[in-house]
Amino acid sequence: MALTRRLLPSLLSLAAVTAVAAVPASALADAPWSPPATIPGAAQLTAPLVVTSTGQGVALAGANRSPDAPTGAASELVPLGLNGAVNGTIRGLRIADGQLATYASNRTVVAGSTLDARGTISDKSHVQVALGTAGGAPGTLRGLSGSTSEHVFALASDHAGDVAIVTGNTKRRRVLVRRPGSSTFRSVLTINVSSRARGATVAVGPQGDVLVVWEDDHHIFSRHIGRTGHPGKQFRIGDGVQSRLQAAIDKSGRELVAWASQRVNEGEAATPAEVFFATAAPGRGFGSARHIESAGATGAGRFVGDPAVRLVVGPDGTTTVLAWTGFAGTHYVARAASISGGRVGAAQIVSDPARNGVLGDLAVGPGGSAFVLWRAGVAGADPDGTPSGVLAAVRPAAGAPFGGSEAITPAGQVAPVAPTVAAGPTAGTALALVPRLTPAVDLQVAARAASGG
């Protein structure tokens, strides 16, 4: 099904996308990543991962039924050193489908859904949140008022300790905010949605303001919530179908939104994936959405796998990078571009353009350093029959191009879904979580040292 309203042509034309030199396949760098190591008791496919400013990594994984998993827990919180090794006690949590964020120098917040008597998420479940210390106790899980039948759509925070959560069900989306020094989350906005509503996401700006973005009735909407908790005007910023949404606020207060729209029916792509970007200058409304790229083919297994698009503002608040799954010639590719002043710069193909590769994740570190991960050998969603693997491209600083491909997994190791990456406190350092199909699914961690840059 086509979008209900044609958006204005992109300022970033397809010619500009394809004109930028790609990283050649021959540029495969020496492997600066440590060999992936299995996390004890972890069974989740895609798991949230953060690294605090003090260098403490934390992963939130699903717990399996092995003796290594915490007894009776649906999830486990895993402390990780920058060398990729578990460096503390793995702690069980009785929540599932969790989200994880970090704030201050080493604080974390986790949110997820409780399980019913059958051990599943149902309309009897509610949302619980815990505030804790990275590498230490996660804190006590406390229920959010009015969250029965809801689940967590998104979680975000800032360095000061402002935390925003989007919860919801088939009828509504709620934005709840916790301010520094408080353990209470206050509902600041309820959004009534139709039966055709899909995803939602949230961002917290450096001043504690909040941007919520959601899809309903094939339109993308946004609303800004000020530091005092008062919601601003609702904007319809574009159109989308089954969209994967991204939102951010930079240091200047500029609001940024990106999304990938694609109709998928029972595993078949009915439309190509369309990537869009929209922005609002401080104190202004959103301009016309920009069409970034039409990515790929249609048909069975040819939809673009998650995340499809990632938009990240770095810790300096000024460096913004957009990454997405694109299409070049006959292959899916991972692309990345810098954003400055709301303008999308020239895109670079970071994966090997001679074979299929789909975006896995994006992280931005100190000084504008950045990491893009992708899965090779995947034609949108399904394997293409060529050797698979998870690879990375690294940018040493803002303004520099991404370097050659760095292998994270051994050649041929199957990653059934997207990996996750988090930048370390020093440029060039990072942790990556890689799902592995063995044929059971487990979760592995790899580390990148600065000397590998």
Side-chain angles (χ1 to χ4, degrees):
M1 178 178 177
L3 296 183
T4 56
R5 181 172 62 90
R6 182 176 179 85
L7 296 176
L8 293 178
S10 171
L11 297 181
L12 177 65
S13 68
L14 184 59
V17 171
T18 55
V20 178
V23 177
S26 59
L28 189 67
D30 294 335
W33 296 84
S34 64
T38 301
I39 296 177
Q44 185 131 331
L45 292 174
T46 299
L49 171 69
V50 298
V51 175
T52 70
S53 60
T54 61
Q56 175 65 56
V58 185
L60 178 60
N64 61 27
R65 297 183 179 181
S66 73
D68 295 323
T71 303
S75 302
E76 59 180 42
L77 206 59
V78 185
L80 298 166
L82 286 180
N83 61 356
V86 176
N87 69 345
T89 302
I90 295 178
R91 301 176 185 273
L93 296 172
R94 295 180 182 272
I95 54 173
D97 287 351
Q99 300 272 348
L100 175 68
T102 181
Y103 63 94
S105 60
N106 69 336
R107 303 286 297 178
T108 58
V109 54
V110 60
S113 297
T114 60
L115 305 179
D116 62 19
R118 297 174 299 174
T120 60
I121 297 174
S122 69
D123 58 5
K124 305 296 183 183
S125 301
H126 64 275
V127 177
Q128 290 190 330
V129 181
L131 301 164
T133 303
T140 302
L141 283 167
R142 303 181 186 277
L144 292 181
S145 177
S147 66
T148 299
S149 82
E150 295 182 344
H151 68 275
V152 181
F153 279 89
L155 172 69
S157 61
D158 65 6
H159 184 77
D162 299 283
V163 180
I165 300 176
V166 178
T167 66
N169 52 30
T170 59
K171 297 181 179 180
R172 65 178 181 267
R173 305 286 183 264
R174 288 198 304 149
V175 182
L176 299 98
V177 175
R178 174 260 191 196
R179 295 304 182 187
S182 172
S183 61
T184 301
F185 284 83
R186 185 170 66 92
S187 180
V188 296
L189 178 64
T190 297
I191 304 164
N192 295 321
V193 296
S194 74
S195 60
R196 298 210 290 183
R198 293 295 184 266
T201 193
V202 70
V204 178
Q207 303 302 317
D209 54 331
V210 173
L211 174 65
V212 58
V213 178
W214 70 99
E215 179 191 324
D216 191 11
D217 199 23
H218 305 324
H219 305 306
I220 309 300
F221 297 95
S222 76
R223 204 160 180 187
H224 180 265
I225 302 168
R227 185 72 175 83
T228 59
H230 295 294
K233 178 182 176 181
Q234 177 175 300
F235 289 95
R236 174 179 159 182
I237 60 176
D239 295 339
V241 179
Q242 298 168 232
S243 302
R244 274 71 63 86
L245 304 170
Q246 295 282 287
I249 306 175
D250 69 14
K251 188 175 181 179
S252 73
R254 175 176 290 276
E255 301 170 35
L256 309 111
V257 178
W259 68 98
S261 169
Q262 184 172 34
R263 178 170 289 283
V264 179
N265 296 315
E266 297 182 351
E268 182 168 337
T271 64
E274 305 282 349
V275 181
F276 299 95
F277 171 76
T279 185
R284 305 289 295 273
F286 278 87
S288 300
R290 309 173 192 179
H291 180 266
I292 300 296
E293 186 174 357
S294 177
T298 59
R302 293 299 173 256
F303 63 91
V304 172
D306 288 337
V309 62
R310 291 281 281 118
L311 175 68
V312 178
V313 175
D316 60 8
T318 61
T319 303
T320 304
V321 180
L322 177 68
W324 67 95
T325 298
F327 205 72
T330 59
H331 294 103
Y332 292 86
V333 294
R335 301 189 196 267
S338 293
I339 296 176
S340 178
R343 294 183 174 87
V344 181
Q348 178 182 349
I349 298 177
V350 297
S351 62
D352 182 353
R355 61 179 308 206
N356 286 309
V358 296
L359 177 66
D361 200 12
L362 165 69
V364 180
S369 58
F371 306 82
V372 178
L373 271 58
W374 68 91
R375 291 186 294 148
V378 179
D382 288 350
D384 63 8
T386 66
S388 57
V390 175
L391 298 99
V394 180
R395 186 179 78 175
F402 284 88
S405 301
E406 300 176 354
I408 296 179
T409 60
Q413 178 171 314
V414 177
V417 294
T420 311
V421 66
T426 303
T429 62
L431 293 176
L433 295 180
V434 182
R436 180 178 63 162
L437 190 61
T438 64
V441 176
D442 60 20
L443 192 64
Q444 297 186 307
V445 58
R448 189 183 193 279
S451 58

